[in-house]
Amino acid sequence: YLKAYKNAIVLRIRMPMDTISNERNLINKLVGYPKVIDSIPNSVTFLSTLAQAIEFLAGNKKTGIYHVVDGDLTHREILESYKRYVNPVHTWNSITLEELRALTTTGRSNCTISNLKIKDEGFPMLDVHQTLDVTMQKYADNYLMEDSP
């Protein structure tokens, strides 16, 4: 259908993360689970990167399909960053994919996708671990503000 529209753009994201606490934020989801598969890498999108990508691509009149992902992280890396910056006493139990299958009725999607197309357009991306640290530090600041009277 999109081929009929010469000025259309599709931005694909994966596992969105933000500096603000929200039920759809991957950080909130992971922190809420007592058991986590934490060794499988998945592509993630930081909403700050998505906003910059929208401005960059629209400003350069780009069309087509772009994967706006910052790179790949494991859930362990995200939770360790949460523990480092937000809540040093946070704990979770690591489980395998097989153990999760025994606990749930729905399947689990693990996916890594390439961001080379958007990078090839000249869009600058920081290392995913740097972006995780910056995001988690801001998340911690917002978290502390929420708890203040």
Side-chain angles (χ1 to χ4, degrees):
Y1 296 115
L2 288 178
K3 289 184 180 187
Y5 302 97
K6 298 199 184 303
N7 61 348
I9 187 167
V10 175
L11 304 180
R12 298 184 69 210
I13 69 170
R14 178 93 174 111
M15 295 189 157
M17 296 175 62
D18 193 19
T19 60
I20 298 171
S21 179
N22 180 287
E23 66 186 22
R24 293 189 173 230
N25 189 340
L26 179 60
I27 299 166
N28 291 69
K29 289 180 180 183
L30 292 176
V31 169
Y33 296 136
K35 297 179 180 181
V36 177
I37 300 173
D38 65 3
S39 61
I40 300 173
N42 277 280
S43 294
V44 297
T45 300
F46 294 96
L47 294 188
S48 58
T49 302
L50 177 60
Q52 293 167 9
I54 291 168
E55 184 177 346
F56 175 86
L57 294 167
N60 289 294
K61 299 186 183 339
K62 298 298 179 182
T63 60
I65 299 170
Y66 291 88
H67 298 159
V68 184
V69 294
D70 288 82
D72 305 335
L73 293 171
T74 64
H75 293 164
R76 176 183 298 130
E77 290 171 307
I78 296 165
L79 288 168
E80 286 174 350
S81 183
Y82 178 84
K83 192 170 182 170
R84 184 177 324 116
Y85 294 109
V86 183
N87 181 355
V89 297
H90 180 74
T91 60
W92 69 94
N93 293 313
S94 299
I95 61 172
T96 65
L97 189 56
E98 292 73 32
E99 290 171 311
L100 179 68
R101 286 186 184 125
L103 296 172
T104 63
T105 57
T106 58
R108 161 115 180 89
S109 166
N110 292 298
C111 178
T112 59
I113 55 180
S114 172
N115 59 11
L116 288 179
K117 182 177 178 182
I118 192 168
K119 283 181 170 181
D120 287 347
E121 294 289 359
F123 181 69
M125 284 194 172
L126 293 175
D127 173 76
V128 68
H129 295 94
Q130 289 176 309
T131 307
L132 174 62
D133 283 344
V134 169
T135 299
M136 202 62 76
Q137 288 170 14
K138 290 179 181 178
Y139 183 94
D141 292 342
N142 292 329
Y143 180 82
L144 292 173
M145 288 176 57
E146 286 177 10
D147 287 347
S148 297

